[in-house]
């Protein structure tokens, strides 16, 4: 069994700064669970283009506010505590922080190995 706290992960290499966001990667590929688990903060007032061409991701909002726009159809979805969005079609999107930072719980398939940051197209490489 593995037990980790957010605090100890924040004070380790598991915390990654993506500029508009920070992610604490509490569970990663080398834990051999088949999925990762990240606590991500999306900074207020930011806009981040993301396109996970090599991954599926689900994101649950625990606090804060913001919105997500799917690029293909221009639809905008409000994000607030209790909202789960599921990028089941590798959806290209714009993620916007609102008036407060958003705290999100994120899982990916396949799992991340730990150091990934978005490339110029908002993509993570396949490990
Ligand atoms: C919601 C989202 O994808 N934010 C970017 C960071 C990502 N959650 C990560 O790498 O943990």
């Amino acid at each position: 069994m593995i037990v980790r706290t957010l605090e100890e992960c924040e004070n380790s290499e598991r915390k990654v700064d993506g500029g508009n966001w920070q992610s604490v990667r509490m569970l990663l590929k080398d834990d051999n669970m088949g999925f990762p688990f990240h606590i991500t903060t999306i900074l207020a007032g930011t806009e981040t283009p993301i396109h996970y061409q090599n991954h599926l991701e689900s994101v649950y909002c625990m606090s804060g506010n913001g919105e997500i726009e799917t690029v293909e159809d221009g639809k905008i979805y409000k994000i607030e505590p209790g909202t789960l969005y599921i990028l089941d079609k590798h959806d290209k999107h714009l993620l916007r922080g609102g008036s407060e930072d958003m705290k999100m719980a994120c899982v990916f398939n396949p799992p991340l190995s730990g150091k990934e940051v978005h490339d110029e197209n908002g993509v993570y490489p396949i490990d």
Side-chain angles (χ1 to χ4, degrees):
M1 179 160 143
I2 304 167
V3 178
R4 295 184 181 125
T5 67
L6 181 59
E7 188 180 8
E8 75 193 31
C9 293
E10 277 172 340
N11 293 313
S12 77
E13 288 193 344
R14 292 180 177 278
K15 184 168 182 181
V16 174
D17 189 348
N20 289 347
W21 52 264
Q22 288 130 21
S23 188
V24 184
R25 295 169 171 172
M26 298 186 70
L27 179 68
L28 284 165
K29 184 179 179 185
D30 63 2
D31 292 308
N32 295 314
M33 291 291 287
F35 57 89
F37 184 85
H38 305 184
I39 299 296
T40 296
T41 304
I42 307 296
L43 300 183
T46 59
E47 179 180 270
T48 307
I50 300 178
H51 192 190
Y52 292 130
Q53 296 175 26
N54 302 314
H55 297 84
L56 300 169
E57 187 194 25
S58 290
V59 181
Y60 179 77
C61 178
M62 298 182 288
S63 65
N65 60 74
E67 64 180 31
I68 181 169
E69 176 173 343
T70 40
V71 171
E72 195 181 355
D73 57 10
K75 279 193 187 165
I76 295 176
Y77 304 85
K78 188 173 160 183
I79 304 172
E80 57 190 3
T83 305
L84 176 71
Y85 68 81
I86 301 158
L87 301 167
D88 63 326
K89 303 206 165 42
H90 301 278
D91 314 66
K92 187 175 183 179
H93 61 282
L94 298 167
L95 181 59
R96 301 189 181 106
S99 58
E100 287 173 30
D101 293 354
M102 282 191 288
K103 291 275 182 197
M104 325 289 262
C106 312
V107 290
F108 285 84
N109 177 17
L112 271 61
S113 56
K115 297 287 173 253
E116 292 89 345
V117 288
H118 298 145
D119 72 8
E120 66 279 9
N121 299 312
V123 180
Y124 285 154
I126 191 86
D127 188 41

